[in-house]
Amino acid sequence: MDSDSKYVDIYSEGTIILPLFEATESQWNRYGRAFAYLLGLMYMFLGVNIIADVFMAAIEVITSKTKKIKIATSNQNGDGGGGGGGASEENTAPHFEELEVKIWNDTVSNLTLMALGSSAPEILLSIIEIIGNGFEPGELGPGTIVGSASFNLLVITAICIVCIPDGESRRIKEINVFACTSFFAVFAYIWLYLVIEVISPNVIEIWESIVTFLFFPLIVLLAFAADKNFWRKQMEMDGDWNQMQVEESINLGDIDFSEAVDISRRRTLSKLSRISKQTSTPGDEPDAIEMQDMFAKQKSGSEEDVRHIIEMGKKQLKDPKEAADIATAEMLRRTHHSRAWYRVIAGRANKGGSKVPFYNKPKEEDGADDGGKPNDRNVDMTVSRVEFSAAAYSCMENEGTIKLGVVRTGNLKCKTSVNYETSDGTATAGEDYVSKSGVIEFEEGEYVKSVEIEIIDDDVWEETETFFVRLFNPSRGTEMDKICVTQVSIINDDEPGILQFQKPSYLYKESAGIAELVIERNDGCDGRITVRFKTKDITATAGKDYEAKDEEVEFAHGEITKTIHIPLMDDDVFNEDKIFEVMLSDPTAGATLGKSKCTIVTILNDDDYQTLITRVANLTSVNLDKLVIGKESWKQQFTEALSVNGGELEEAETMDFVLHFLTFGWKVLFACVPPAHIAGGWLCFTVALMAIAVVTAVIGDMATVLGLLLGIKDSVTAITFVALGTSLPDTFASKVAAINEDTADAAIGNITGSNSVNVFLGLGVPWIIATIYKTLNYESLDKRSKFIITDKSMPFAIALYSIAAIITLLLLTWRRYSTPAGKAELGGNVRIKYISASVCVSLWMIYIVCASLYAYNIIKF
């Protein structure tokens, strides 16, 4: 074999640092060396992503800073301040509430520091490449910027569209800001094309580079103006609601969670009381919002407030760890998180660090109250929301029909409509029920409607069967609420049924007064039957801890549940937990007993209950500590760097250990960066930025050498290897944000802004540096004074991306206003969301293939 085909000499032209051992490396096997550089490039991507997460943590600390302001509210007695005759001056004096408000506007921080954090590797690669090339243009930096933009807008958008759980959707809330950044996401690349191909072909003039950079402050100013509605005091687009909100920082342990909140304590307690009345029944699990606010009060409120929340309802508590997980999940769901937060949290999970195990968090289900009226929830009152009144219904087979409640909340001052249709589960249309579809129309002021489904009765015994009814295609100005699909169970009525307790165990506070135990009648409800229940001491004593019962329970024909009540006795003496048993026996009329024919009731001493509450709060605090963005000391940083899965080894999976092993060196190295909470985050910001620059320089060299070894042009390497490596962390962050946020802003709202900033900073800054350098060092007639673009394939790649971007943004616009798509950018109709994602991915693949073929002159235009 010819030595030239087996060995390749790689010189340092076009690189800054590599190859380190040029003489030795040139003797290696060409493809073995290429494989080594490929592995090295992947390892460097891990490193730049880890230090980029540190950089994002510093940005999160900086942008979450707050200041305290005072707001005048009503007088302390709450009488509105208007006094009648004899009202004292003290009673009419205004009362001031102190608030912590964020210093940074979200839109400004997203387009400046957070966009810089997300795109730092691409921007620095472009700057380093030009400086390293002696202020001559390269192909790797600009190609990476355009390639990353295409991956971000096309592929990440596709993933976010399909990752939304079926039956759910996400819409852009800040639509006017998104419209502004979307315009610039296309305009930036059209401007780039005009500069390179039209205005001064292949030559970048100094004024062009300055104008390119000046578009950066312009987009920030215009987006800020759009956020604040400077042109219109209130903008309504398709029922969207843009209202200036006061943002308060809720301090939970070491974490600052920023969200719009109601600052009135009376309103908070009123809301908690309302939730308790709607959802609390003795024996239910604790409402997660109760745990959230209880914990918040323990941290920052008075003891009286804590006591109020603890005593709100006579509830059960689950296992303390499980209850703490529920509380943490609910606190995360109710809190607005920035793009930086999702980026860092997703990054931790992908390098074997502490994970957030609460991505699929249960949503609260706020049905109608006893009167059937919509709940008073903190929602957009300019938009109608429609949902079923319950997530599940059941009926007897012989009832003939079942009515399903559909409720409307939000804006009731308009007409609205929504489609519905049935679909089979284990029940079959035509055999068990009559298939039905149609339109539900709400007149102005109407908030409740019903859908009536016909049930088919037969004389054949069958197990309980189910079918589903879904709501879809809401009319303009209407959105689907949480319960857009409901399950209907058809209970067989040709058998007397099987009797058993609903739960194998119950837990009650001593002060609850009554233990309520539910007996279920399954697999039939024909005729009148009875069953006896009897209490039995275990450690509890009848007559002292509870009232003994030995009674008969009667189920009427068609009745499927009964609740029995056992009085509990409270005392002022501290006792250990007491346990007694309740057993079912002697069913009549052919009924039988099921597996749960006995249940255990634990009476929890009130003092012990308070201890359990405190323990749950402490466990919740531990959970939240794991989610702290930015550490306060080097010790904390090194502890995290050395730990697998945040120290939870028993819950760590095999992949956690693998990822920890692969990233261990990087994590320890970057634990040396100053903690984010030192010097307000700016010291960490600066050091991390310098570290990113060093790692990015190595990535650029490795990509160049790899391309030379494999015969791949820099422009192709940029849009494939480098663009994917720098964009994957944003992919994971966007997916997590899409699933967990109620809107699409954190998932795709920042993509358009970042793509614009990539051009304005990633090309504007190095172009300014290079053009000024050439102007100062060479005469105007000297050819070296011109900054000449040598990559002939770049204009074509830019044009391809611009076309793909326009199609994608038009697709998102269509989805937003299209009833079949669910009137949402993400999620919605399953078939349509997969078609939409396929279109985006296909556009990206067309971009990659066509740009690569054009770079090799295989296709020409």
Side-chain angles (χ1 to χ4, degrees), residues 538-549:
I538 298 182
T539 58
T541 303
K544 179 181 179 183
D545 301 307
Y546 71 97
E547 183 179 321
K549 290 282 185 178

Side-chain angles (χ1 to χ4, degrees), residues 269 272-273 276 290 307-315:
L269 297 180
L272 289 170
S273 299
S276 177
E290 179 184 356
R307 176 62 57 184
H308 174 87
I309 296 170
I310 293 175
E311 297 298 333
M312 268 179 22
K314 295 175 171 57
K315 294 172 174 275

Side-chain angles (χ1 to χ4, degrees), residues 394 396 491 519-522 524-525 555-556 558-562:
S394 62
M396 304 308 305
I491 302 172
I519 304 175
E520 294 181 329
R521 183 184 189 182
N522 300 320
C525 55
F555 286 80
E559 202 168 13
I560 58 174
T561 61
K562 277 288 189 180

Side-chain angles (χ1 to χ4, degrees), residues 94-353:
H95 175 62
F96 289 93
E97 298 254 12
E98 191 173 78
L99 291 180
E100 276 189 279
V101 297
K102 291 180 66 176
I103 296 174
W104 282 78
N105 174 268
D106 283 342
T107 298
V108 174
S109 63
N110 284 339
L111 288 174
T112 52
L113 293 182
M114 288 190 186
L116 177 61
S118 178
S119 304
E122 295 97 317
I123 296 172
L124 289 173
L125 179 61
S126 180
I127 296 173
I128 292 170
E129 183 183 39
I130 284 182
I131 296 175
N133 285 347
F135 299 96
E136 295 295 338
E139 297 181 5
L140 199 63
T144 301
I145 287 175
V146 181
S148 295
S150 65
F151 185 89
N152 292 343
L153 185 59
L154 303 176
V155 179
I156 294 181
T157 297
I159 292 173
C160 290
I161 289 174
V162 299
C163 75
I164 304 299
D166 292 348
E168 298 183 20
S169 61
R170 306 285 188 272
R171 304 185 85 217
I172 295 288
K173 179 182 177 183
E174 301 295 339
I175 186 61
N176 42 344
V177 175
F178 182 72
C180 177
T181 56
S182 296
F183 167 77
F184 277 97
V186 176
F187 170 78
Y189 293 86
I190 293 177
W191 166 256
L192 200 57
Y193 181 87
L194 293 174
V195 167
I196 296 174
E197 194 73 3
V198 178
I199 300 175
S200 54
N202 299 324
V203 177
I204 305 301
E205 303 287 350
I206 189 169
W207 71 267
E208 293 172 331
S209 61
I210 294 174
V211 170
T212 301
F213 173 77
L214 290 178
F215 281 129
F216 170 64
L218 178 64
I219 185 179
V220 174
L221 289 173
L222 291 179
F224 177 73
D227 179 47
K228 295 301 183 182
N229 286 323
F230 281 173
W231 297 286
R232 298 176 61 182
K233 291 185 178 180
Q234 184 172 356
M235 178 182 290
E236 293 182 11
M237 298 178 66
D238 185 30
D240 286 304
W241 172 76
N242 296 285
Q243 175 182 333
M244 293 177 61
Q245 297 175 325
V246 177
E247 294 179 337
E248 178 182 6
S249 176
I250 303 177
N251 296 317
L252 299 177
D254 295 328
I255 308 176
D256 287 341
F257 290 106
S258 300
E259 62 178 351
V261 294
D262 184 350
I263 62 173
S264 169
R265 175 175 296 174
R266 288 187 296 274
R267 292 179 185 175
T268 301
L269 297 180
S270 174
K271 180 179 179 182
L272 289 170
S273 299
R274 182 168 60 253
I275 292 174
S276 177
K277 290 177 182 178
Q278 292 171 356
T279 62
S280 297
T281 55
D284 283 343
E285 285 78 20
D287 196 336
I289 189 175
E290 179 184 356
M291 302 295 291
Q292 172 189 352
D293 285 285
M294 177 275 296
F295 181 60
K297 294 295 184 182
Q298 280 195 332
K299 286 287 184 181
S300 58
S302 67
E303 181 64 29
E304 180 182 355
D305 293 330
V306 176
R307 176 62 57 184
H308 174 87
I309 296 170
I310 293 175
E311 297 298 333
M312 268 179 22
K314 295 175 171 57
K315 294 172 174 275
Q316 298 182 65
L317 280 176
K318 297 185 176 184
D319 172 75
K321 187 178 185 305
E322 184 179 0
D325 288 348
I326 293 174
T328 307
E330 194 65 17
M331 293 166 75
L332 293 178
R333 187 181 74 79
R334 293 172 179 273
T335 303
H336 166 71
H337 299 294
S338 69
R339 174 79 174 184
W341 190 89
Y342 282 111
R343 169 71 184 260
V344 175
I345 291 301
R348 286 181 183 176
N350 293 328
K351 61 187 179 187

